[in-house]
Coordinates of all heavy atoms in Angstrom, one line a residue:
M4 N 1.0 -1.2 0.0 CA 0.0 0.0 0.0 C 0.9 1.2 0.1 O 1.8 1.4 0.8 CB -0.9 0.0 1.4 CG -1.9 1.1 1.3 SD -2.8 1.1 2.8 CE -4.2 0.1 2.4
T5 N 0.6 2.1 -0.9 CA 1.5 3.4 -0.8 C 0.8 4.4 0.1 O -0.2 4.2 0.7 CB 1.2 4.1 -2.3 OG1 0.0 4.5 -2.3 CG2 1.7 3.2 -3.5
I6 N 1.7 5.3 0.4 CA 1.3 6.3 1.5 C 0.0 6.9 1.1 O -0.9 7.2 2.1 CB 2.5 7.4 1.6 CG1 3.7 6.6 2.4 CG2 1.9 8.6 2.4 CD1 4.9 7.4 2.3
S7 N -0.1 7.4 -0.2 CA -1.4 8.1 -0.6 C -2.6 7.1 -0.5 O -3.6 7.6 0.0 CB -1.2 8.7 -1.8 OG -1.0 7.8 -2.9
E8 N -2.4 5.9 -0.7 CA -3.6 5.1 -0.6 C -3.9 4.8 1.1 O -5.1 4.7 1.3 CB -3.1 3.5 -1.1 CG -3.2 3.4 -2.5 CD -2.6 2.3 -3.1 OE1 -1.8 1.4 -2.3 OE2 -2.9 1.9 -4.3
R9 N -2.8 4.8 1.9 CA -3.0 4.7 3.2 C -3.8 5.9 3.8 O -4.8 5.9 4.5 CB -1.8 4.5 4.1 CG -2.0 4.1 5.5 CD -0.7 3.8 6.1 NE -0.1 5.0 6.6 CZ 1.3 5.3 6.5 NH1 2.0 4.5 6.1 NH2 1.7 6.5 7.1
L10 N -3.4 7.1 3.4 CA -3.9 8.3 3.7 C -5.5 8.4 3.3 O -6.3 8.8 4.1 CB -3.2 9.5 3.3 CG -1.9 9.6 3.8 CD1 -1.2 10.9 3.0 CD2 -1.8 10.0 5.3
Q11 N -5.5 8.0 2.1 CA -7.0 7.8 1.5 C -7.9 6.9 2.4 O -9.1 7.3 2.6 CB -6.8 7.2 0.1 CG -8.2 7.5 -0.8 CD -8.4 9.0 -1.2 OE1 -7.4 9.5 -1.7 NE2 -9.6 9.5 -0.9
S12 N -7.4 5.9 2.7 CA -8.2 4.7 3.5 C -8.4 5.3 4.9 O -9.5 5.0 5.5 CB -7.5 3.5 3.6 OG -6.4 3.5 4.3
E13 N -7.6 6.1 5.4 CA -7.7 6.7 6.9 C -8.5 8.0 6.8 O -8.8 8.5 7.8 CB -6.2 6.9 7.4 CG -5.6 5.7 7.8 CD -4.1 6.0 8.3 OE1 -3.8 7.2 8.3 OE2 -3.5 5.0 8.5
K14 N -8.7 8.4 5.6 CA -9.6 9.7 5.3 C -9.0 10.8 6.2 O -9.7 11.5 6.9 CB -11.1 9.5 5.7 CG -11.7 8.5 4.9 CD -13.3 8.6 5.1 CE -14.2 7.4 4.3 NZ -13.5 6.9 3.1
V15 N -7.6 10.9 6.1 CA -6.9 12.0 6.7 C -7.4 13.3 6.0 O -7.4 13.5 4.8 CB -5.5 11.8 6.6 CG1 -4.8 13.0 7.2 CG2 -5.1 10.5 7.3
K16 N -7.8 14.3 6.8 CA -8.3 15.6 6.3 C -7.2 16.6 6.2 O -6.4 16.6 7.1 CB -9.4 16.1 7.1 CG -9.9 17.5 6.9 CD -11.4 17.6 6.8 CE -11.9 19.0 6.6 NZ -11.1 19.8 5.7
I17 N -7.1 17.2 5.0 CA -6.2 18.4 4.9 C -6.8 19.7 4.7 O -7.7 19.8 4.0 CB -5.3 18.1 3.7 CG1 -4.6 16.7 3.8 CG2 -4.3 19.3 3.4 CD1 -3.6 16.5 2.6
N18 N -6.5 20.6 5.7 CA -7.3 21.8 5.7 C -6.8 22.7 4.4 O -5.8 22.5 3.7 CB -6.9 22.7 6.9 CG -7.6 22.1 8.1 OD1 -8.5 21.2 8.0 ND2 -7.2 22.6 9.3
D19 N -7.7 23.7 4.1 CA -7.4 24.6 3.0 C -6.0 25.4 3.2 O -5.8 25.6 4.4 CB -8.5 25.6 2.8 CG -9.8 25.0 2.5 OD1 -9.8 23.7 2.0 OD2 -10.9 25.7 2.6
C20 N -5.5 25.8 2.2 CA -4.2 26.6 2.4 C -4.6 28.0 3.1 O -5.5 28.6 2.6 CB -3.7 26.9 1.0 SG -2.2 27.8 1.1
P21 N -3.9 28.2 4.2 CA -4.2 29.5 4.8 C -3.6 30.8 4.2 O -4.0 31.9 4.4 CB -3.4 29.3 6.2 CG -2.2 28.3 5.8 CD -2.7 27.5 4.8
F22 N -2.9 30.5 3.1 CA -2.3 31.7 2.4 C -2.9 32.0 1.1 O -3.2 33.2 0.9 CB -0.8 31.3 2.0 CG 0.1 31.1 3.2 CD1 0.3 29.8 3.5 CD2 0.6 32.1 4.0 CE1 1.2 29.4 4.6 CE2 1.3 31.9 5.2 CZ 1.5 30.4 5.4
C23 N -3.5 31.0 0.4 CA -4.1 31.3 -0.8 C -5.6 30.7 -0.8 O -6.3 31.0 -1.7 CB -3.3 30.8 -2.1 SG -3.2 29.0 -2.3
G24 N -5.9 29.9 0.1 CA -7.3 29.3 0.1 C -7.5 28.2 -0.7 O -8.7 27.7 -0.8
C25 N -6.5 27.7 -1.3 CA -6.5 26.5 -2.2 C -7.1 25.3 -1.5 O -6.8 25.0 -0.3 CB -5.2 26.2 -2.8 SG -5.2 24.8 -4.0
K26 N -8.1 24.7 -2.0 CA -8.8 23.6 -1.3 C -8.0 22.2 -1.6 O -8.2 21.4 -2.5 CB -10.2 23.4 -1.7 CG -11.0 24.6 -1.4 CD -12.5 24.1 -1.6 CE -13.4 25.5 -1.2 NZ -13.0 26.1 0.1
L27 N -7.0 22.1 -0.8 CA -6.0 20.9 -1.0 C -6.7 19.5 -0.8 O -6.3 18.6 -1.4 CB -4.9 21.1 0.1 CG -3.9 22.3 0.0 CD1 -2.9 22.2 0.9 CD2 -3.5 22.6 -1.5
S28 N -7.8 19.5 -0.1 CA -8.4 18.3 0.1 C -9.1 17.8 -1.2 O -9.4 16.5 -1.2 CB -9.5 18.4 1.3 OG -10.5 19.4 0.9
E29 N -9.3 18.6 -2.2 CA -9.8 18.1 -3.5 C -8.8 17.6 -4.4 O -9.1 17.1 -5.4 CB -10.5 19.4 -4.1 CG -11.6 19.9 -3.4 CD -12.3 21.0 -3.9 OE1 -11.9 21.6 -5.1 OE2 -13.3 21.6 -3.5
F30 N -7.5 17.6 -4.0 CA -6.5 17.0 -4.9 C -6.0 15.7 -4.3 O -6.2 15.5 -3.1 CB -5.2 18.0 -4.8 CG -5.6 19.3 -5.6 CD1 -6.1 20.4 -4.8 CD2 -5.4 19.4 -7.0 CE1 -6.4 21.5 -5.5 CE2 -5.7 20.6 -7.6 CZ -6.2 21.7 -6.9
P31 N -5.5 14.8 -5.1 CA -5.0 13.5 -4.6 C -3.7 13.7 -3.6 O -3.0 14.7 -3.7 CB -4.3 12.9 -5.8 CG -5.0 13.6 -7.0 CD -5.3 15.1 -6.5
Y32 N -3.8 13.0 -2.6 CA -2.8 13.1 -1.6 C -1.4 13.1 -2.2 O -0.3 13.8 -1.6 CB -2.9 11.8 -0.6 CG -3.9 12.0 0.2 CD1 -5.1 11.1 0.1 CD2 -3.9 12.9 1.3 CE1 -6.3 11.4 1.0 CE2 -5.1 13.0 2.2 CZ -6.2 12.1 1.9 OH -7.3 12.2 2.7
V33 N -1.2 12.3 -3.2 CA 0.3 12.2 -3.8 C 0.8 13.5 -4.3 O 1.9 13.8 -4.3 CB 0.2 11.1 -4.8 CG1 -0.6 11.6 -6.1 CG2 1.7 10.6 -5.3
M34 N -0.2 14.4 -4.7 CA 0.3 15.7 -5.1 C 0.4 16.7 -4.0 O 1.2 17.8 -4.1 CB -0.9 16.4 -6.1 CG -1.2 15.6 -7.3 SD -2.4 16.3 -8.3 CE -1.9 17.9 -8.8
I35 N -0.1 16.4 -2.8 CA -0.1 17.4 -1.7 C 1.0 17.0 -0.6 O 1.6 17.8 -0.1 CB -1.5 17.4 -1.1 CG1 -2.6 17.7 -2.1 CG2 -1.5 18.4 0.1 CD1 -2.2 19.1 -2.9
V36 N 1.0 15.7 -0.4 CA 1.9 15.3 0.8 C 3.1 14.7 0.1 O 3.2 13.7 -0.4 CB 1.3 14.2 1.7 CG1 2.2 13.7 2.8 CG2 0.0 14.6 2.1
Q37 N 4.2 15.6 0.0 CA 5.3 15.2 -0.7 C 6.5 15.1 0.1 O 6.7 15.6 1.3 CB 5.6 16.5 -1.7 CG 4.6 16.7 -2.6 CD 5.0 17.8 -3.7 OE1 5.8 18.5 -3.4 NE2 4.2 17.6 -4.8
P38 N 7.5 14.3 -0.2 CA 8.8 14.0 0.4 C 9.6 15.4 0.3 O 9.4 16.1 -0.5 CB 9.5 13.0 -0.5 CG 8.6 12.3 -1.3 CD 7.4 13.3 -1.4
V39 N 10.3 15.7 1.5 CA 11.0 16.9 1.6 C 12.3 16.7 0.8 O 13.2 15.8 1.2 CB 11.3 17.2 3.1 CG1 12.2 18.4 3.1 CG2 10.0 17.5 3.9
R40 N 12.4 17.4 -0.2 CA 13.8 17.4 -1.0 C 14.2 18.8 -1.3 O 14.8 18.9 -2.4 CB 13.5 16.5 -2.4 CG 13.1 15.1 -2.0 CD 13.8 14.2 -3.2 NE 13.4 12.8 -3.0 CZ 12.2 12.2 -3.5 NH1 11.6 12.9 -4.2 NH2 12.0 11.0 -3.2
S41 N 13.9 19.7 -0.4 CA 14.4 21.0 -0.8 C 15.9 21.1 -0.8 O 16.5 20.2 -0.1 CB 13.8 22.1 0.1 OG 14.4 21.8 1.5
D42 N 16.5 22.0 -1.3 CA 17.9 22.3 -1.3 C 18.4 22.4 0.2 O 19.4 21.9 0.7 CB 18.4 23.6 -2.0 CG 18.1 23.3 -3.5 OD1 17.9 22.2 -4.0 OD2 18.2 24.4 -4.3
E43 N 17.6 23.3 0.8 CA 17.9 23.4 2.2 C 18.0 22.1 3.1 O 18.9 21.9 4.0 CB 16.7 24.3 2.9 CG 16.9 24.6 4.3 CD 15.5 24.9 5.0 OE1 14.5 25.1 4.4 OE2 15.5 25.0 6.3
Y44 N 16.9 21.2 2.8 CA 17.0 20.0 3.6 C 18.3 19.1 3.1 O 19.0 18.6 3.9 CB 15.8 19.2 3.1 CG 15.8 17.8 3.7 CD1 15.4 17.6 5.0 CD2 16.3 16.7 3.0 CE1 15.4 16.3 5.5 CE2 16.3 15.5 3.4 CZ 15.8 15.3 4.9 OH 15.8 14.1 5.4
L45 N 18.6 19.1 1.7 CA 19.7 18.3 1.4 C 21.1 18.8 2.0 O 21.9 18.1 2.3 CB 19.6 18.2 -0.1 CG 18.5 17.5 -0.8 CD1 18.5 17.6 -2.2 CD2 18.6 15.9 -0.4
L46 N 21.1 20.1 1.9 CA 22.4 20.7 2.5 C 22.6 20.3 3.9 O 23.5 20.0 4.4 CB 22.5 22.3 2.3 CG 22.8 22.6 0.9 CD1 22.5 24.2 0.7 CD2 24.2 22.3 0.3
A47 N 21.4 20.5 4.7 CA 21.5 20.2 6.2 C 21.9 18.8 6.2 O 22.6 18.4 7.2 CB 20.2 20.7 6.8
K48 N 21.3 17.9 5.5 CA 21.6 16.5 5.7 C 23.1 16.2 5.3 O 23.6 15.5 6.0 CB 20.7 15.7 4.8 CG 20.6 14.2 5.0 CD 19.5 13.6 4.2 CE 19.6 12.0 4.2 NZ 19.3 11.4 5.5
L49 N 23.6 16.9 4.4 CA 25.0 16.7 4.0 C 25.9 17.2 5.1 O 26.8 16.6 5.5 CB 25.2 17.5 2.7 CG 26.4 17.2 1.8 CD1 26.1 15.8 1.3 CD2 26.4 18.2 0.7
N50 N 25.5 18.4 5.6 CA 26.4 19.0 6.6 C 26.3 18.5 8.0 O 27.3 18.5 8.8 CB 26.1 20.5 6.7 CG 26.5 21.2 5.4 OD1 27.5 20.6 4.6 ND2 25.8 22.4 5.0
K51 N 25.1 18.1 8.3 CA 24.9 17.8 9.8 C 24.2 16.4 9.9 O 23.8 16.1 11.0 CB 23.9 18.8 10.4 CG 24.4 20.2 10.1 CD 24.3 21.0 11.5 CE 25.0 22.4 11.3 NZ 24.1 23.5 11.5
G52 N 24.3 15.6 9.0 CA 23.9 14.2 9.1 C 22.4 14.2 9.4 O 21.6 14.5 8.5
D53 N 22.0 13.9 10.6 CA 20.6 13.7 10.7 C 19.9 15.0 11.5 O 18.9 14.8 12.2 CB 20.4 12.6 11.8 CG 21.1 12.6 13.2 OD1 21.8 13.6 13.3 OD2 20.9 11.7 13.9
F54 N 20.5 16.1 11.1 CA 20.0 17.5 11.7 C 18.5 17.5 11.5 O 17.9 18.0 12.4 CB 20.7 18.4 10.8 CG 20.2 19.8 11.4 CD1 20.5 20.3 12.5 CD2 19.6 20.7 10.3 CE1 20.0 21.6 12.8 CE2 19.2 21.9 10.5 CZ 19.3 22.4 11.8
L55 N 17.9 17.0 10.4 CA 16.4 17.2 10.4 C 15.7 16.1 10.7 O 14.6 15.8 10.2 CB 16.1 17.9 8.9 CG 16.6 19.3 8.6 CD1 16.4 19.7 7.3 CD2 16.0 20.2 9.6
G56 N 16.4 15.1 11.2 CA 15.6 13.8 11.7 C 15.9 12.7 10.8 O 15.1 11.7 10.9
G57 N 17.0 12.6 10.3 CA 17.5 11.4 9.5 C 16.9 11.3 8.2 O 17.3 12.0 7.3
E58 N 16.1 10.4 8.1 CA 15.5 10.0 6.7 C 14.6 11.2 6.1 O 14.2 12.0 6.9 CB 14.9 8.8 6.6 CG 15.9 7.5 6.8 CD 17.1 7.7 6.0 OE1 16.8 7.7 4.6 OE2 18.2 7.7 6.5
N59 N 14.4 11.0 4.9 CA 13.6 12.0 4.2 C 12.3 12.1 5.0 O 11.5 11.2 5.3 CB 13.2 11.5 2.9 CG 14.2 12.2 1.8 OD1 15.1 13.0 2.1 ND2 14.1 11.6 0.7
G60 N 11.9 13.3 5.3 CA 10.5 13.6 5.9 C 9.5 13.9 4.9 O 9.8 14.0 3.7
Y61 N 8.3 14.2 5.3 CA 7.2 14.6 4.4 C 6.7 15.9 4.8 O 6.9 16.4 5.9 CB 6.1 13.7 4.5 CG 6.5 12.3 3.9 CD1 7.1 11.4 4.7 CD2 6.3 12.0 2.5 CE1 7.5 10.1 4.2 CE2 6.7 10.9 2.0 CZ 7.2 9.9 2.8 OH 7.7 8.7 2.4
H62 N 6.3 16.7 3.9 CA 5.5 18.0 4.3 C 4.3 18.1 3.3 O 4.3 17.6 2.2 CB 6.4 19.2 4.4 CG 7.0 19.5 3.1 ND1 7.8 20.6 3.0 CD2 6.9 18.8 1.8 CE1 8.2 20.7 1.6 NE2 7.7 19.7 1.0
V63 N 3.3 19.0 3.7 CA 2.2 19.3 2.9 C 2.7 20.5 2.1 O 3.2 21.5 2.6 CB 0.9 19.6 3.8 CG1 -0.2 20.2 2.8 CG2 0.4 18.5 4.7
H64 N 2.4 20.3 0.8 CA 2.9 21.4 -0.1 C 1.7 21.9 -0.8 O 0.9 21.1 -1.5 CB 3.9 20.8 -1.0 CG 4.4 21.7 -2.2 ND1 5.3 22.7 -1.9 CD2 4.0 21.7 -3.4 CE1 5.5 23.3 -3.1 NE2 4.8 22.8 -4.0
C65 N 1.5 23.2 -0.8 CA 0.4 23.8 -1.7 C 0.7 23.9 -3.1 O 1.8 24.5 -3.4 CB 0.0 25.2 -1.0 SG -1.3 26.0 -2.1
I66 N 0.0 23.1 -3.9 CA 0.3 23.2 -5.3 C 0.1 24.5 -6.1 O 0.5 24.7 -7.1 CB -0.4 22.0 -6.1 CG1 -1.8 22.2 -6.1 CG2 0.1 20.6 -5.5 CD1 -2.5 21.2 -7.0
N67 N -0.8 25.3 -5.3 CA -1.0 26.6 -5.9 C 0.0 27.6 -5.7 O 0.4 28.4 -6.6 CB -2.5 27.0 -5.4 CG -3.0 28.2 -6.2 OD1 -3.1 28.2 -7.5 ND2 -3.4 29.2 -5.5
C68 N 0.3 27.8 -4.4 CA 1.1 29.0 -4.0 C 2.5 28.6 -3.6 O 3.5 29.3 -3.2 CB 0.5 30.0 -2.9 SG 0.4 29.2 -1.3
G69 N 2.6 27.3 -3.3 CA 4.0 26.8 -3.0 C 4.3 26.8 -1.5 O 5.4 26.4 -1.0
A70 N 3.4 27.3 -0.7 CA 3.3 27.2 0.9 C 3.7 25.7 1.3 O 3.0 24.7 0.7 CB 2.2 27.8 1.4
S71 N 4.4 25.6 2.3 CA 4.6 24.2 2.8 C 4.5 24.1 4.4 O 4.9 25.2 4.9 CB 6.0 23.5 2.4 OG 7.0 24.4 2.9
G72 N 4.0 23.1 4.8 CA 3.8 22.9 6.3 C 5.0 22.3 6.9 O 6.1 22.1 6.3
G73 N 4.9 22.0 8.2 CA 6.0 21.4 9.1 C 6.3 20.0 8.5 O 5.6 19.4 7.9
R74 N 7.7 19.7 8.8 CA 8.1 18.4 8.3 C 8.0 17.4 9.3 O 8.1 17.6 10.5 CB 9.6 18.4 7.8 CG 9.9 19.5 6.9 CD 11.4 19.7 6.9 NE 11.7 20.7 5.8 CZ 12.7 21.5 5.9 NH1 13.6 21.4 6.8 NH2 13.0 22.4 4.8
D75 N 7.7 16.1 8.9 CA 7.7 15.0 9.9 C 8.0 13.8 9.0 O 7.7 13.7 7.9 CB 6.5 14.9 10.6 CG 6.7 14.0 11.9 OD1 6.8 12.8 11.8 OD2 7.0 14.7 12.9
T76 N 8.7 12.7 9.5 CA 8.9 11.5 8.9 C 7.6 10.7 8.8 O 7.6 9.8 7.9 CB 9.9 10.7 9.7 OG1 9.4 10.5 11.1 CG2 11.2 11.4 9.7
I77 N 6.6 11.1 9.4 CA 5.3 10.3 9.5 C 4.3 11.3 8.6 O 4.0 12.4 9.1 CB 4.7 10.0 10.8 CG1 5.7 9.2 11.5 CG2 3.4 9.2 10.6 CD1 5.4 8.9 13.0
P78 N 3.9 10.9 7.4 CA 3.0 11.8 6.7 C 1.7 12.3 7.4 O 1.5 13.4 7.2 CB 2.5 10.9 5.6 CG 3.6 9.9 5.4 CD 4.1 9.6 6.8
E79 N 1.2 11.4 8.3 CA 0.0 11.9 9.0 C 0.2 13.0 10.0 O -0.4 13.8 10.1 CB -0.6 10.7 9.9 CG -1.3 9.8 9.0 CD -0.4 8.6 8.4 OE1 0.8 8.8 8.3 OE2 -1.0 7.6 8.1
V80 N 1.6 12.9 10.6 CA 2.0 14.0 11.6 C 2.3 15.3 10.7 O 1.8 16.4 11.3 CB 3.2 13.5 12.2 CG1 3.6 14.7 13.2 CG2 2.8 12.3 13.2
A81 N 2.9 15.2 9.6 CA 3.1 16.3 8.7 C 1.8 17.0 8.3 O 1.6 18.2 8.4 CB 3.9 15.9 7.3
I82 N 0.7 16.2 8.1 CA -0.6 16.9 7.9 C -1.2 17.5 9.0 O -1.7 18.6 8.9 CB -1.5 15.7 7.3 CG1 -1.1 15.2 5.9 CG2 -3.0 16.2 7.2 CD1 -1.8 14.0 5.4
N83 N -1.0 16.8 10.2 CA -1.4 17.4 11.4 C -0.8 18.8 11.6 O -1.4 19.7 12.1 CB -1.2 16.6 12.7 CG -2.3 15.4 12.7 OD1 -3.4 15.7 12.3 ND2 -2.0 14.4 13.4
K84 N 0.6 18.9 11.3 CA 1.3 20.2 11.6 C 0.7 21.2 10.6 O 0.6 22.4 10.9 CB 2.8 20.0 11.3 CG 3.5 19.1 12.3 CD 4.9 19.0 12.2 CE 5.5 18.3 13.2 NZ 7.0 18.0 13.0
W85 N 0.5 20.9 9.4 CA -0.1 21.8 8.6 C -1.6 22.3 9.0 O -1.9 23.4 8.9 CB -0.4 21.2 7.2 CG -1.2 21.8 6.1 CD1 -2.5 21.7 6.0 CD2 -0.7 22.9 5.2 NE1 -2.8 22.7 4.9 CE2 -1.8 23.2 4.5 CE3 0.5 23.4 5.0 CZ2 -1.6 24.2 3.4 CZ3 0.7 24.4 3.9 CH2 -0.4 24.8 3.3
N86 N -2.3 21.4 9.4 CA -3.7 21.5 9.8 C -3.6 22.5 11.1 O -4.5 23.4 11.2 CB -4.4 20.3 10.2 CG -4.8 19.7 9.0 OD1 -4.8 20.1 7.8 ND2 -5.2 18.4 9.2
R87 N -2.7 22.3 12.1 CA -2.7 23.1 13.2 C -2.3 24.6 12.9 O -2.8 25.5 13.5 CB -1.4 22.5 14.0 CG -2.1 21.7 15.1 CD -1.1 21.9 16.5 NE 0.3 21.6 16.2 CZ 1.0 20.6 16.0 NH1 0.4 19.4 16.1 NH2 2.3 20.6 15.8
R88 N -1.3 24.7 11.8 CA -1.0 26.0 11.5 C -2.3 26.8 10.9 O -2.4 28.0 11.0 CB 0.1 26.0 10.4 CG 0.7 27.3 10.2 CD 2.1 27.1 9.7 NE 2.2 27.4 8.2 CZ 3.3 27.3 7.4 NH1 4.3 27.0 8.1 NH2 3.2 27.6 6.1
V89 N -3.1 26.0 10.2 CA -4.2 26.7 9.5 C -5.2 27.3 10.6 O -5.6 28.4 10.4 CB -5.0 25.7 8.8 CG1 -6.3 26.1 8.3 CG2 -4.1 25.3 7.6
T90 N -5.2 26.6 11.7 CA -6.1 27.0 12.7 C -5.7 28.0 13.7 O -6.4 28.7 14.4 CB -6.7 25.9 13.5 OG1 -5.6 25.2 14.2 CG2 -7.4 24.8 12.7
L91 N -4.3 28.4 13.6 CA -3.8 29.4 14.6 C -4.2 30.8 14.1 O -4.5 31.0 13.0 CB -2.2 29.3 14.5 CG -1.6 28.1 15.1 CD1 -0.1 28.1 15.0 CD2 -1.9 28.1 16.7
Ligands
ZN126 ZN1 -1.6 28.0 -1.1

């Protein structure tokens, strides 16, 4: 089972983007919950080993405006971080 299939079966809710209002829940999870592969992440990994928590994490990425949520190695937790930020 892929991560997006698991999220689908658990019906994990993703809140709208707080920056542009994009309704992320209308898009497939695979487009929204993405592995963290930013330059910043790769450099930190290169320089500090497990500085950002070891293996690749995930974050929620707004496909409309590019905003991204908190990182976590567990996709569900990354979604929770995104959702928390929305409600703040
Ligand atoms: Zn957005």
